[in-house]
Amino acid sequence: MSKKVAVIPARYGSTRFPGKPLVLLCEKPMIQWTYEQVLRAKTIDEAVVATDDDRIVDCCRAFGGKVVLTSASCPNGTSRCEEAVSLLEEQYDIVVNVQGDEPLIEPEIIDRVVQCLLNTDDIVYSTACTPFKVKEEAKLTNRVKILLDQNGYVMYSSRGLIPHNKEGCVRDFPPPFQQGAYMLHVGIHCYRRHFLDTYCRLEPTPCMLMEDLEHLKVLEHGYRMKCVVVDESPHGVDLPEDVALVEKLICRFKEEHEL
């Protein structure tokens, strides 16, 4: 049976929101909410926070979380994941990268993404997406869009509006595809362990650098990715102004689950 580990990269020095993993949401640091949500996934055998900051290490140890200290020179979250897994005593077959700023990530989404990788032999990477609830948000560059073929394989991903059109605007899909939707990439990445090592040795690629999207390197080097479509997107914390809404949602979550 394949062993699965979830790695939660967490940097303190975010340029847009310094100290973000430690921000309190309903009296708990955000990284703790994310960690506990990840452990609720049925497919996950172990979870670990990967950070380059002693303050986050101390926080995780205080709530009983597993944490490893990684190099401050890691260029991105994927590299931090690879370093973290290499520091663990256990050997794992599947590595799930869950963003530390997703305190409301649904365990069922994690399970579906893991099962997608396990059940599809010709892919090295799986992820998730969801239809935009507010179509106009597809224009925003901090909302990453993803294009799938009819079998769920990823064709491309962009910060720009895709699919695009001659008018250059957000619009309904043409007949007979009126039910089509712009798809929002959900911040979860699942790799085969051997490919994670390969990924970190691959050269950067043009679209990866242009779009500033790590997963495009997978496609540009000719590997296949698959994406599961989920009904809801977790509410991440990108900026300080996101905190109030996410905290309100967490309070509602606590009441519903009697936490």
Side-chain angles (χ1 to χ4, degrees), residues 146-162:
I146 197 161
L147 277 182
L148 311 180
D149 70 13
Q150 294 188 12
N151 295 307
Y153 289 91
V154 178
M155 296 192 294
Y156 191 63
S157 184
S158 179
R159 296 184 181 278
L161 181 65
I162 56 171

Side-chain angles (χ1 to χ4, degrees), residues 10 56 77 89 108 165-166 192:
I56 296 176
E89 294 181 4
E108 293 78 12
N165 56 76
K166 287 189 285 188
R192 301 191 194 279

